[in-house]
Amino acid sequence: AQSVAQPEDQVNVAEGNPLTVKCTYSVSGNPYLFWYVQYPNRGLQFLLKYITGDNLVKGSYGFEAEFNKSQTSFHLKKPSALVSDSALYFCAAQRDSSASKIIFGSGTRLSIRP
Amino acid sequence: DVKVTQSSRYLVKRTGEKVFLECVQDMDHENMFWYRQDPGLGLRLIYFSYDVKMKEKGDIPEGYSVSREKKERFSLILESASTNQTSMYLCASSLLAGGDTQYFGPGTRLTVL
């Protein structure tokens, strides 16, 4: 079965420190990979995606993600965390076809302390 | 900017009631989706539609139906609401089917008593 795993329910980081939110996937072929963020009382917002090409993808708000095919991972990173980055983050994957079904991970709550 | 709107932010219904959740997008997107979001389970796809009057079952379609009579509107219907359908419901749309960004509405928090 196709799946996306986010092994950490919560990640706590001090402001100014680098952050990593982990994601691994089990999807056949060469999947499209996404990160979305959900701020309190709001819908999901797109952060970045990997389709093909450079393994390091840059997105909104200074976030980036590294695609690693051998480890089937797509970890989200930011060099210097802000308190305003505190939110719920979702990793998602989609098979590389015309299929539009996306598989979401269970989410990781990121908490940045001042 | 793409805008996806949902008819209600909060809804309280009684067991057995028929419930309609409406979603409208203003960017002429072909694809529309309904998800439910539950803590620790992430987003689970209920139904999606890739064209007017077309629909496909997602991962958890039981107890739900959908309607897409116009391109911009995608409705989720709970034929007979049950307490285990208490959840956050998110609507989304995308232009393309593969590899495209999905744009989400603000969500409807449904409570079934």
Side-chain angles (χ1 to χ4, degrees):
Chain A
Q2 320 280 335
S3 64
V4 173
Q6 294 180 243
E8 302 154 317
D9 291 337
Q10 176 133 359
V11 171
N12 299 307
V13 177
E15 188 175 28
N17 283 1
L19 69 88
T20 298
V21 183
K22 295 179 180 177
C23 172
T24 59
Y25 62 91
S26 176
V27 177
S28 56
N30 299 304
Y32 306 128
L33 299 165
F34 305 83
W35 276 100
Y36 287 85
V37 59
Q38 186 178 38
Y39 296 103
N41 300 314
R42 297 176 69 174
L44 273 71
Q45 297 178 35
F46 169 77
L47 268 184
L48 51 80
K49 66 181 175 184
Y50 173 83
I51 302 297
T52 187
D54 194 347
N55 288 345
L56 187 65
V57 179
K58 294 189 183 297
S60 307
Y61 312 120
F63 283 93
E64 56 190 27
E66 187 169 10
F67 171 65
N68 188 316
K69 187 171 184 178
S70 63
Q71 296 185 4
T72 61
S73 67
F74 190 55
H75 300 331
L76 182 69
K77 301 181 180 185
K78 188 173 182 180
S80 179
L82 299 173
V83 172
S84 57
D85 293 331
S86 299
L88 187 56
Y89 290 79
F90 289 96
C91 181
Q94 181 185 33
R95 287 193 310 187
D96 59 342
S97 68
S98 61
S100 53
K101 181 179 171 181
I102 291 183
I103 304 161
F104 283 84
S106 57
T108 297
R109 187 162 298 281
L110 178 62
S111 178
I112 309 299
R113 60 183 184 275
Chain B
D1 278 353
V2 176
K3 192 165 184 181
V4 180
T5 57
Q6 296 183 229
S7 50
S8 306
R9 290 300 304 273
Y10 300 94
L11 209 53
V12 179
K13 296 292 182 181
R14 298 223 173 258
T15 301
E17 281 192 77
K18 191 169 186 176
V19 182
F20 293 87
L21 302 182
E22 304 285 339
C23 175
V24 177
Q25 49 94 3
D26 67 355
M27 283 300 292
D28 204 33
H29 282 176
E30 304 289 337
N31 305 280
M32 296 189 74
F33 310 82
W34 275 106
Y35 296 91
R36 63 176 283 177
Q37 180 182 1
D38 299 289
L41 297 178
L43 274 69
R44 292 179 292 166
L45 183 64
I46 305 172
Y47 269 97
F48 65 99
S49 168
Y50 51 86
D51 201 354
V52 175
K53 297 190 184 294
M54 307 298 287
K55 60 185 180 184
E56 293 281 346
K57 292 181 180 179
D59 298 317
I60 51 165
E62 298 78 17
Y64 303 94
S65 62
V66 290
S67 172
R68 193 165 180 203
E69 297 295 320
K70 293 184 178 181
K71 193 174 188 179
E72 68 271 18
R73 188 179 297 269
F74 192 35
S75 302
L76 180 69
I77 303 154
L78 287 67
E79 296 289 343
S80 178
S82 63
T83 55
N84 62 12
Q85 292 179 310
T86 292
S87 186
M88 171 69 84
Y89 290 88
L90 295 172
C91 175
S93 71
S94 70
L95 179 62
L96 304 175
D100 199 15
T101 301
Q102 291 195 1
Y103 295 87
F104 285 82
T108 296
R109 184 165 295 281
L110 173 67
T111 302
V112 182
L113 302 175

